[in-house]
Amino acid sequence: MENNKLEIYNSKEEYLSDLEKRGKLPEGFKTSVISMEFFPAERPVKKPLPMRLSLLMLDKPTSVFGAAFTRNKCPGAPVIIGKARLMSDKVRGVIINNKVSNVCTETGVEDSTMLLEHLAKETGSSSQEFFPSSTGIIGWQLPVKDMVKNIPRLVGELAPGTGVNLAKGIMTTDSYPKLRSADVGDGRIVAVAKGAGMIEPNMATMLSFIMTDISMERDTIRDILKRVVEKTYNSISVDGDQSTSDTVIIMSSCTKKKVPEKEFEEALFKVCSDLSVDIVRNSEGCGHVVKVSVKGASDYVAARNFGKAVLNSPLVKTAIFGNDPNVGRILSSIGDYAGNNNLALNKEKISLFIGGEVIFEKGAFRLDQEKELRLVDYLKSRVLDSDHKEFPSHNNTVDIDVILGSASGSATVFGCDLSNGYVRENSDYRS
């Protein structure tokens, strides 16, 4: 995953303007987002809580669609239904709610099914043509009666345009919306995503909806999605917690001509890789985005796992947050992973770099006072506001390069530091 273009924003308005420019929906798609309120059955509250309902819908049902879901063995009801929906001949859209994730409640599947049935009636479709998708608090029941009352308004506000409102609508603890796009042939790919915590190892508390108007066969688009997800959404980490609700859905209206499969896959990879890094950048309490590139591993999976071992080390994370180049922690995390997984590792062949500066090679650290000061300045130059403004100020990363030897396995993974903002957000999440 690479994002080579430097992006700098000075205000929320600048960022949203950029999203509007890149967010024009592919042909054949409409979206709507509405706000509603509800009283949770599980917790007494003095005032009703806010919820957003979002709808992504095709003008006509399509047989060209695919999806990827969490591997968590305690999945939400929308994931259970979504997996079954992959067997449908055609689909027409997705209804999404934030605030409540609809996981393992007694009536979870029935609640989502009821929503789909009312949506189908309102749109003149079959309930089998829609995916449900929910994100938010795990353990609460959907306020399904309140949601059903709002479906006519949700359908009534469907409109073409950009996907920015959809990107806003699906947010939970995200500080700002995330949207990426690419022009391919005479068509487009547009994707939105949300996610800020419970990120890793297989996707995240992450929803991503991908729209395209490029014609393609169903099996082809599913194969491409699988490959792209593996090297993008499955190659990021914030906190090592895999969610119950992760979902990526792709749909094509097939209103534009085909393009070569490789060309489409490269464009989709770029869109999803940029969105993946956007998710990390907006993760709860993120003060630095960290990119770990690993070479010389036995294969791709090994390289990715070594990279994630560095990203997931609390000691590495906290050092980076403090702008402290405590580089011994990086080497320790690599040796820890190799030792606990019985992997061969020759420290004489390891080379480590931060921001292009060599910090370890030929079995020994390569440090001096001037280099320490340069590394501190380098980390400071990559700082983000860990309490998060309503826009990303830049897309710079802390670059850590790891060379393990001469084998051909390589991977690039993205993660973030660990700040007091992450602890604060997750200790007070339901308030």
Side-chain angles (χ1 to χ4, degrees), residues 167-393:
K168 292 178 180 178
I170 62 177
M171 290 165 54
T172 49
T173 56
D174 310 66
S175 298
Y176 44 81
K178 289 164 278 294
L179 181 152
R180 294 285 176 171
S181 65
D183 293 319
V184 191
D186 62 354
R188 284 176 60 68
I189 301 171
V190 177
V192 299
K194 63 80 52 182
M198 291 184 79
I199 308 286
E200 213 257 344
N202 299 302
M203 298 191 291
T205 306
M206 193 205 83
L207 305 180
S208 182
F209 306 106
I210 307 166
M211 301 156 274
T212 185
D213 46 19
I214 298 166
S215 296
M216 192 167 298
E217 288 75 26
R218 178 198 288 218
D219 289 345
T220 301
I221 207 168
R222 290 185 176 187
D223 288 343
I224 290 173
L225 180 67
K226 182 178 180 180
R227 292 193 294 268
V228 167
V229 164
E230 187 66 13
K231 292 192 175 183
T232 57
Y233 296 127
N234 283 354
S235 293
I236 58 176
S237 178
V238 170
D239 46 22
D241 279 334
Q242 180 181 202
S243 168
T244 57
S245 305
D246 315 328
T247 300
V248 178
I249 297 173
I250 188 168
M251 297 181 290
S252 176
S253 63
C254 294
T255 60
K256 301 292 185 180
K257 294 179 181 179
K258 289 183 178 181
V259 299
E261 181 178 335
K262 182 180 179 181
E263 184 178 348
F264 182 87
E265 183 166 347
E266 288 175 349
L268 182 62
F269 176 84
K270 182 67 166 66
V271 167
C272 293
S273 64
D274 286 350
L275 268 180
S276 297
V277 183
D278 288 341
I279 288 170
V280 173
R281 186 170 295 109
N282 191 206
S283 59
E284 294 158 355
C286 176
H288 300 77
V289 176
V290 185
K291 181 175 79 170
V292 181
S293 298
V294 179
K295 296 180 180 179
S298 57
D299 54 30
Y300 168 78
V301 172
R304 185 176 64 181
N305 289 343
F306 270 109
K308 284 190 173 184
V310 175
L311 288 178
N312 288 336
S313 164
L315 292 177
V316 173
K317 286 174 171 286
T318 50
I320 291 174
F321 177 70
N323 298 310
D324 177 13
N326 194 340
V327 296
R329 295 178 175 182
I330 298 173
L331 181 69
S332 177
S333 66
I334 293 169
D336 181 12
Y337 179 77
N340 283 324
N341 290 277
N342 295 316
L343 300 176
L345 187 68
N346 183 347
K347 74 177 191 298
E348 298 295 328
K349 295 183 178 180
I350 297 175
S351 296
L352 304 178
F353 303 81
I354 296 181
E357 294 259 15
V358 60
I359 58 172
F360 185 92
E361 65 178 357
K362 297 179 180 179
F365 285 101
R366 307 297 174 182
L367 301 170
D368 56 53
Q369 292 183 1
E370 291 184 358
K371 186 176 292 185
E372 283 271 344
L373 293 175
R374 288 198 302 271
L375 291 175
V376 169
D377 289 341
Y378 173 75
L379 293 175
K380 288 181 177 179
S381 73
R382 264 59 184 165
V383 168
L384 291 162
D385 176 8
S386 63
D387 287 328
H388 282 314
K389 299 177 181 176
E390 295 178 295
F391 65 96
S393 54

Side-chain angles (χ1 to χ4, degrees), residues 138-159:
I138 296 172
W140 284 12
Q141 189 172 7
L142 285 182
V144 68
K145 292 182 180 179
D146 293 319
M147 295 169 76
V148 164
K149 290 177 184 177
N150 283 278
I151 284 179
R153 181 161 61 99
L154 181 67
V155 173
E157 295 191 12
L158 278 168

Side-chain angles (χ1 to χ4, degrees), residues 26-27 29-30 55-58 60-67 90-96 129-131 166 188-190 208-214 221 225 248-254 264:
E27 190 174 281
F29 288 88
K30 292 184 175 70
L55 180 60
L56 164 61
M57 199 165 93
L58 286 143
K60 299 178 181 179
T62 180
S63 62
V64 181
F65 66 96
K90 293 184 177 182
V91 297
R92 196 171 178 195
V94 191
I95 183 170
I96 311 122
E129 292 178 349
F130 290 96
F131 287 91
L166 179 65
R188 284 176 60 68
I189 301 171
V190 177
S208 182
F209 306 106
I210 307 166
M211 301 156 274
T212 185
D213 46 19
I214 298 166
I221 207 168
L225 180 67
V248 178
I249 297 173
I250 188 168
M251 297 181 290
S252 176
S253 63
C254 294
F264 182 87

Side-chain angles (χ1 to χ4, degrees), residues 13-24:
E13 290 71 26
E14 272 188 23
Y15 177 68
L16 292 178
S17 176
D18 200 17
L19 260 60
E20 289 286 347
K21 291 175 184 176
R22 69 172 84 132
K24 180 183 176 182

